[in-house]
Amino acid sequence: MDIIEQRLGVPPHIAGPAATFAFFAFFLLKKMGLFTNTNHFPVEGKTILITGASEGMGLAAAILLAKKGASLILVSRNVGRLEEALVKVTAAARSPSKQRFTYISADVSEPNYAESVIAQAIAWNAGAAPDIVWCIAGLSSPMLWADPANDSIAATRRNMDVNFFGSAEMSRAILKEWLAPENKPKDTGVIGQKPEPKHIIFTASMLALFAIVGYGPYTPSKWALRGLADTLNMELRMYPDHPVKIHVVYPGTITSPGLERENKTKPQITLELEKEEPAESPETVAERAVKGLEKGQYNVTVSTLGDLMRCGILGGSERNNWVWDTVVGWVVPVIYFFVIRIMNAQVAGWARVNGHPHVKKAAA
């Protein structure tokens, strides 16, 4: 170091601290993934089961993963749409001679649906369980919670059945299979090298990071997924010989048939608050989600805004990067100080202009 300092003409009292700063800066950036190309989510040759795969983000994710060399099991209710999706996914195959594709028709809101789906998947996959399960199936029923014209409780039960229980039952069914003692992964034969982990991916929403008016029936189901994921993330450390990784993806507004359906009942104040948020295509969201998974992220956001929200509400959740997430987590509350007040003022102002929601509907 002394020779380098002399040749560069750097004074020792500056070179020492500078070298220390450079070392820690490099270490931090490396931890953030800027100096590594490690893929923590390799899918080539793997079998992936995706729920909600007949349209929107689910279909886009399936096509993207087919391009990366995975075999796919598509799960959804509508057989007609599944058949159309299967054609698109098959056409996207990276290695058609090696990859295989099929679909299973199932309603994720039906109790005990998942064990039957996993059994069918194993039978099709030559007796082996899927390597990765991605729960994307979901719906949103936006409405004002207290409006007597709406049955918000019934809508909430429906949202919980599809969004939460649909994913929860699937995670339990596949974990029972993966964690069975007889299904312990084979030793790699390389000293210090562990078997590749299985992956369960839940699909939540940015609304599980920041709630807004109009999503009372929907938002709790996505917050519940966060709680389940955090719990499983800790519980699975009890099975070190059966490695499983948990992930949660937080998309924002997606241009899909689902968005068209939810906009039919969405309150005007909700549309007003959302108008500045650009809707992303299913393909963009799927691509960003997969990139986050490849980086090994636990909570996967697909936008800068979503990442800020993630850092602001982590609590006891796993961090993607402890230094970055902590620093940003200190800043976000300052931003929220203004954002929450602005949004609350928008809601109050809308009410002053448009009147009591119940009275307005009764008059109409």
Side-chain angles (χ1 to χ4, degrees):
M1 177 66 74
D2 291 341
I3 295 176
I4 296 175
E5 293 170 3
Q6 292 172 7
R7 289 183 176 179
L8 293 176
V10 179
H13 69 281
I14 296 178
T20 302
F21 175 80
F23 171 79
F24 282 108
F26 173 80
F27 176 78
L28 176 59
L29 292 173
K30 184 176 181 180
K31 290 294 289 182
M32 291 170 59
L34 298 184
F35 296 118
T36 179
N37 293 319
T38 301
N39 182 359
H40 297 274
F41 188 68
V43 300
E44 186 172 4
K46 304 290 178 64
T47 300
I48 304 176
L49 183 149
I50 300 179
T51 69
S54 65
E55 64 181 28
M57 178 185 171
L59 176 57
I63 291 173
L64 177 58
L65 295 170
K67 291 179 180 178
K68 290 179 175 286
S71 293
L72 275 300
I73 302 171
L74 313 181
V75 179
S76 186
R77 287 186 305 169
N78 190 296
V79 173
R81 288 204 297 265
L82 278 170
E83 291 176 342
E84 294 174 0
L86 189 65
V87 172
K88 296 177 182 178
V89 172
T90 302
R94 179 177 180 177
S95 304
S97 61
K98 298 179 181 179
Q99 294 169 253
R100 301 169 66 233
F101 306 96
T102 191
Y103 68 79
I104 298 172
S105 175
D107 184 345
V108 302
S109 69
E110 289 294 325
N112 305 314
Y113 86 95
E115 290 198 3
S116 172
V117 170
I118 293 300
Q120 292 178 65
I122 292 172
W124 174 82
N125 199 36
D131 303 289
I132 298 166
V133 168
W134 192 343
C135 300
I136 301 181
L139 64 82
S140 174
S141 307
M143 61 183 65
L144 294 179
W145 186 262
D147 192 337
N150 301 325
D151 192 345
S152 56
I153 295 299
T156 302
R157 292 187 190 281
R158 175 64 177 162
N159 278 247
M160 287 295 293
D161 283 342
V162 175
N163 301 337
F164 176 73
F165 285 109
S167 298
E169 288 205 14
M170 178 56 72
S171 68
R172 177 169 164 76
I174 193 62
L175 283 175
K176 285 171 62 179
E177 184 67 28
W178 286 342
L179 301 179
E182 63 271 20
N183 291 333
K184 177 183 175 181
K186 295 180 180 179
D187 192 346
T188 63
V190 179
I191 297 176
Q193 185 180 77
K194 297 181 179 180
E196 288 189 7
K198 307 295 186 182
H199 297 264
I200 296 177
I201 309 159
F202 295 117
T203 305
S205 164
M206 281 174 61
L207 289 167
L209 305 172
F210 188 96
I212 66 172
V213 61
Y215 286 106
Y218 172 76
T219 298
S221 65
K222 297 300 186 176
W223 281 66
L225 279 178
R226 284 183 54 211
L228 176 61
D230 282 0
T231 305
L232 294 181
N233 187 50
M234 181 178 290
E235 179 179 334
L236 289 171
R237 279 148 174 83
M238 299 173 65
Y239 307 91
D241 294 332
H242 299 71
V244 179
K245 295 290 186 182
I246 301 292
H247 311 270
V248 189
V249 177
Y250 297 89
T253 303
I254 305 174
T255 54
S256 67
L259 177 62
E260 295 174 8
R261 288 191 289 269
E262 74 173 65
N263 279 342
K264 293 178 180 179
T265 62
K266 189 173 293 182
Q268 286 299 314
I269 181 57
T270 308
L271 291 169
E272 179 70 19
L273 293 175
E274 289 182 333
K275 68 181 182 181
E276 300 300 330
E277 181 197 351
E280 302 280 6
S281 70
E283 292 74 21
T284 297
V285 173
E287 182 178 358
R288 292 175 182 173
V290 170
K291 284 183 179 179
L293 295 168
E294 290 175 343
K295 292 177 181 178
Q297 294 177 350
Y298 170 69
N299 286 312
V300 182
T301 54
V302 297
S303 67
T304 300
L305 178 60
D307 205 49
L308 288 172
M309 290 179 175
R310 175 188 66 84
C311 291
I313 201 167
L314 283 173
S317 293
E318 187 81 17
R319 269 62 174 168
N320 293 342
N321 177 278
W322 281 90
V323 176
W324 173 262
D325 292 355
T326 299
V327 172
V328 177
W330 291 337
V331 175
V332 171
V334 178
I335 300 174
Y336 276 163
F337 177 83
F338 299 99
V339 171
I340 293 173
R341 281 160 177 75
I342 291 172
M343 295 188 74
N344 285 342
Q346 282 183 273
V347 174
W350 187 92
R352 284 194 297 271
V353 173
N354 295 277
H356 194 297
H358 303 176
V359 174
K360 182 179 179 182
K361 282 197 172 185

